[in-house]
């Protein structure tokens, strides 16, 4: 290979590489990295929650259920397109496209593709009871209070 | 030097060319206004640009202030309610006019060779106009806006392959927030108008170069000429339409001014959410199918719409003496109407 050709080819390759990097980083700019870390939610004194009832925690979009044995927490976000569910007499109902779930969070009818997620409730190191939206458990798992 | 000669010297336009350009021959059938419905969306677009510009004077694209700024426009600023109502109503009439224009092109089959590409530009314009509706509705940041954004970006997220990427791009993150509103605002007032203008330009350019397809009606044989000039004859017809629409717009805005719902609340979905009427068929479809089919359906529909001129040709060649495509088209149209009516009356 001639010296001149070598230099020309290297230059062209480097320039194209620089071009690709420029375009990619330009496009990357449209996808912000937002810290979506799921933070633990402190529940406070679990005795505050009414017994045998699903209480809606508005700012966290979940329902907390308490009975005499313990507490559990289920997502209130419809698995179809993300609307917030309503509590119906024996389950949950979505106001958007009418998906219905039973008390266990299982889809009964409607377009929802998946069952609702139950989140782990546990006692943190500092002794507080917290919900961990990062950890999914089965509908039967309860944090035992008694 | 007189003013006129100064002007012609500084701005050397050939008036003869202007006259030839503006007296473009138009086929006689366009004297019937309902065959010339393409001009109506064009006029509505101009109204949207003018009223939209006025609205930007007060609108603030900030989740905490957007709703209040719309409230200010509606109840405090002088004639703000009228501008806003006209903008709202014109968007609805524009979409209705577009659908009618499309139906007339469809059922007169003037999308055929050599106008396939212009039909595709047309479909693009329809999609762009629907996007205008979606982004504009969201800017108000009332409950319905918020949940329309939620469902809309959710649908984008369920698109095969590019879904998650697309949804993050539209939202500017994984949740709806400031980034989303900034983006919707930008789409609504800058990107979409720019792209739409480009496609309107292409659409009109192709109409001029191909000419509008001539349709024959009984009675047309009487006149010796097959065409009449764009200016002043057709412009006159259009002016009558424009006057009528302006009156209609003002009446609608006076009788049913644009209202304002509850401000957006990300934690509570209102009990009966409904999009604008032109999304009803898709909304109903989402309710009766699962997520995958719900999203694939509209995508396939749009692809078929784009390819329609070629599908039409295929059937035409296969079955020359049966009007299969007419019946397919009619069936498709009626299905959409059924979905629309179903969503109006169903819950
Ligand atoms: C902003 C949107 C649009 C504007 C401003 C517009 C404007 C026009 C105008 C002025 C004409 C001349 C004939 C007539 O008025 O009927 C026309 C023709 C046509 N339009 Fe549109 N249009 C739009 C959207 C569409 C859509 C949504 C479609 C279909 C998907 C479409 C497909 C066509 C075709 C194929 C023709 C040629 C018809 C013929 O030669 O007879 N256009 N358009
Ligand atoms: S978002 Fe719940 S059914 Fe569609």
């Amino acid at each position: 290979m001639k010296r001149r050709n070598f230099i020309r080819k290297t230059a062209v390759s480097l320039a194209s590489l620089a071009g690709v990097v420029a375009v990619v980083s330009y496009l990357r700019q449209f996808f912000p990295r937002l810290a979506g870390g799921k933070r633990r939610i402190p529940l406070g004194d679990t005795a505050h929650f009414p017994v045998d009832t699903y209480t809606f925690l508005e700012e966290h979009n979940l329902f907390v259920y308490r009975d005499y044995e313990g507490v559990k927490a289920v997502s209130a976000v419809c698995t179809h397109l993300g609307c917030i569910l309503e509590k119906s007499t024996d389950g949950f109902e979505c106001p958007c496209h009418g998906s219905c779930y039973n008390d266990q969070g299982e889809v009964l009818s409607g377009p929802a593709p998946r069952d609702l997620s139950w989140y782990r409730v546990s006692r943190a190191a500092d002794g507080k009871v917290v919900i961990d939206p990062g950890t999914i458990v089965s509908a039967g798992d309860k944090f035992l209070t008694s | 030097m007189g003013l006129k000669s100064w002007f012609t010297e500084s701005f050397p336009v050939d008036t003869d060319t202007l006259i030839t350009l503006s007296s473009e021959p138009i086929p006689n059938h366009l004297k019937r206004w309902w065959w010339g419905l393409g001009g109506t969306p064009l006029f509505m677009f101009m109204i949207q640009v003018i009223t939209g510009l006025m609205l930007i004077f007060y609108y603030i694209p900030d989740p905490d202030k957007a709703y209040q700024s719309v409230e200010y426009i509606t109840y405090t600023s002088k004639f703000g309610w009228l501008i806003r109502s006209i903008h709202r109503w014109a968007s609805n009439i524009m979409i209705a006019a577009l659908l009618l224009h499309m139906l007339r092109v469809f059922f007169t089959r003037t999308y055929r060779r050599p106008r396939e590409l212009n039909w595709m530009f047309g479909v693009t314009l329809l999609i762009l106009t629907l996007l205008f509706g979606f982004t504009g509705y969201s800017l108000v940041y009332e409950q319905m806006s918020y949940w329309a954004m939620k469902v809309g970006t959710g649908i984008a997220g369920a698109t095969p392959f590019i879904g998650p990427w697309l949804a993050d791009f539209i939202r500017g993150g994984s949740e709806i927030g400031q980034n989303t509103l900034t983006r919707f605002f930008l789409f609504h007032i800058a990107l979409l108008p720019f792209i739409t203008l480009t496609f309107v330009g292409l659409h009109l350019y192709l109409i001029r170069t191909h000419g509008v397809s001539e349709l024959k009606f009984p009675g047309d044989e009487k006149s010796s000429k097959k065409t009449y000039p764009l200016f002043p004859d057709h412009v006159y017809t259009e002016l009558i339409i424009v006057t009528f629409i302006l009156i209609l717009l003002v009446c609608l805005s006076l009788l049913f001014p644009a209202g304002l719902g509850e401000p957006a609340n990300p934690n509570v979905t209102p009990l009966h959410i409904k999009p604008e009427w032109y999304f009803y068929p898709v909304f109903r479809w989402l309710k009766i199918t699962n997520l995958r089919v719900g999203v694939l359906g509209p995508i396939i529909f749009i692809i078929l719409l784009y390819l329609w001129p070629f599908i039409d040709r295929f059937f035409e060649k296969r079955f020359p003496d049966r009007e299969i495509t007419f019946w397919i088209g009619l069936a498709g149209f009626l299905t959409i109407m059924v979905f629309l009516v179903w969503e109006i009356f169903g819950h």
Side-chain angles (χ1 to χ4, degrees):
Chain A
M1 189 186 271
K2 286 210 181 107
R3 184 188 202 85
R4 166 185 285 247
N5 275 348
F6 172 77
I7 294 181
R8 182 177 290 159
K9 280 196 174 140
T10 319
V12 168
S13 323
L14 285 181
S16 334
L17 186 68
V20 170
V21 171
V23 169
V24 168
S25 34
Y26 174 74
L27 291 179
R28 184 66 190 78
Q29 191 248 331
F30 295 110
F31 298 85
R33 197 173 293 134
L34 295 183
K38 296 190 171 154
R39 309 185 72 223
R40 293 174 158 202
I41 301 156
L43 270 188
D45 185 356
T46 50
H48 286 323
F49 292 98
V51 177
D52 282 337
T53 311
Y54 285 84
T55 312
F56 181 49
L57 293 195
E58 192 172 301
E59 59 280 33
H60 304 294
N61 288 337
L62 40 81
F63 288 102
V64 172
Y65 176 76
R66 175 175 170 231
D67 58 16
Y68 283 113
E69 284 169 18
V71 198
K72 51 187 193 169
V74 65
S75 160
V77 180
C78 181
T79 57
H80 182 225
L81 293 167
C83 292
I84 306 298
L85 302 171
E86 288 276 312
K87 184 76 189 78
S88 60
T89 36
D90 42 10
F92 309 95
E93 221 178 274
C94 181
C96 288
H97 314 99
S99 290
C100 290
Y101 305 80
N102 65 13
D103 263 345
Q104 304 301 302
E106 291 156 352
V107 182
L108 294 179
S109 62
R114 267 171 289 111
D115 297 342
L116 298 175
S117 312
W118 292 85
Y119 299 130
R120 192 166 72 145
V121 183
S122 60
R123 193 177 295 281
D126 56 4
K128 286 186 183 143
V129 178
V130 293
I131 301 174
D132 178 7
T135 314
I136 294 182
V137 296
S138 74
D141 279 4
K142 243 179 242 171
F143 170 70
L144 299 178
T145 46
S146 55
Chain B
M1 204 194 316
L3 194 59
K4 193 177 168 207
S5 50
W6 173 83
F7 188 77
T8 38
E9 192 181 293
S10 339
F11 195 72
V13 205
D14 184 356
T15 27
D16 291 340
T17 321
L18 264 188
I19 289 172
T20 338
L21 271 179
S22 62
S23 31
E24 164 91 358
I26 307 267
N28 271 338
H29 74 263
L30 276 173
K31 283 185 180 155
R32 298 169 177 78
W33 63 267
W34 56 96
W35 297 105
L37 276 166
T40 310
L42 189 59
F43 174 61
M44 299 323 283
F45 184 71
M46 294 194 272
I47 291 193
Q48 292 307 68
V49 171
I50 296 168
T51 49
L53 271 174
M54 292 162 115
L55 291 173
I56 309 177
F57 274 80
Y58 292 116
Y59 180 76
I60 308 172
D62 172 333
D64 294 328
K65 298 190 186 132
Y67 182 84
Q68 284 152 13
S69 69
V70 178
E71 209 169 30
Y72 178 82
I73 293 172
T74 316
Y75 300 115
T76 313
S77 77
K78 291 211 172 71
F79 286 112
W81 62 273
L82 184 61
I83 304 293
R84 186 174 161 232
S85 303
I86 290 183
H87 198 73
R88 206 7 112 74
W89 276 112
S91 74
N92 285 297
I93 295 180
M94 175 163 176
I95 288 175
L98 263 185
L99 294 177
L100 292 178
H101 170 53
M102 200 172 153
L103 284 176
R104 109 90 173 103
V105 172
F106 188 93
F107 285 112
T108 52
R109 303 172 98 184
T110 48
Y111 47 76
R112 289 199 225 163
R113 218 173 126 194
R115 296 185 176 80
E116 300 99 329
L117 192 60
N118 217 13
W119 165 266
M120 294 165 122
F121 288 159
V123 178
T124 311
L125 282 169
L126 178 71
I127 296 174
L128 287 167
T129 312
L130 291 174
L131 287 178
F132 263 118
F134 174 56
T135 50
Y137 192 57
S138 303
L139 294 181
V140 183
Y141 229 66
E142 58 182 14
Q143 270 290 57
M144 287 300 168
S145 322
Y146 182 88
W147 293 98
M149 278 164 122
K150 187 94 185 175
V151 170
T153 53
I155 294 173
T159 315
F161 309 117
I162 56 164
W165 174 88
L166 185 66
D168 278 4
F169 171 69
I170 301 176
R171 268 179 286 183
S174 54
E175 289 296 331
I176 289 172
Q178 175 66 68
N179 277 353
T180 323
L181 195 53
T182 309
R183 274 165 204 229
F184 274 50
F185 184 60
L186 186 71
F187 292 151
H188 193 78
I189 68 151
L191 275 178
L192 288 174
F194 176 75
I195 303 174
T196 305
L197 271 181
T198 312
F199 277 94
V200 168
L202 289 169
H203 197 62
L204 294 182
Y205 174 76
L206 282 190
I207 291 164
R208 292 216 60 159
T209 40
H210 291 312
V212 179
S213 318
E214 282 173 32
L215 303 169
K216 299 257 173 341
F217 289 95
D220 278 359
E221 302 92 43
K222 280 190 215 127
S223 64
S224 49
K225 281 194 284 174
K226 274 172 144 176
T227 58
Y228 68 109
L230 176 79
F231 187 85
D233 298 47
H234 191 59
V235 170
Y236 179 66
T237 318
E238 292 285 343
L239 271 181
I240 295 175
I241 301 178
V242 163
T243 313
F244 172 75
I245 288 183
L246 277 177
I247 296 173
L248 181 71
L249 266 179
V250 174
C251 289
L252 283 171
S253 304
L254 287 175
L255 292 175
F256 311 99
L260 205 53
E262 295 280 300
N265 179 353
N267 301 314
V268 178
T269 309
L271 260 193
H272 299 289
I273 80 156
K274 286 234 169 174
E276 292 273 61
W277 61 270
Y278 39 86
F279 289 124
Y280 275 11
V282 181
F283 198 64
R284 175 49 65 175
W285 175 252
L286 278 173
K287 282 184 182 169
I288 60 169
T289 55
N290 68 30
L291 184 54
R292 171 124 306 186
V293 179
V295 174
L296 273 180
I299 295 178
I300 292 174
F301 179 76
I302 289 171
I303 294 177
L304 289 182
L305 211 53
Y306 268 110
L307 296 180
W308 184 253
F310 306 102
I311 299 174
D312 178 77
R313 186 144 79 214
F314 172 80
F315 280 111
E316 180 82 16
K317 277 214 182 107
R318 273 291 175 85
F319 313 97
D321 39 35
R322 264 178 278 173
E323 306 224 14
I324 294 200
T325 48
F326 170 79
W327 294 109
I328 299 181
L330 190 65
F333 172 67
L334 288 179
T335 314
I336 293 180
M337 289 317 279
V338 167
F339 273 59
L340 191 119
V341 173
W342 186 1
E343 186 54 43
I344 294 177
F345 295 106
H347 64 268

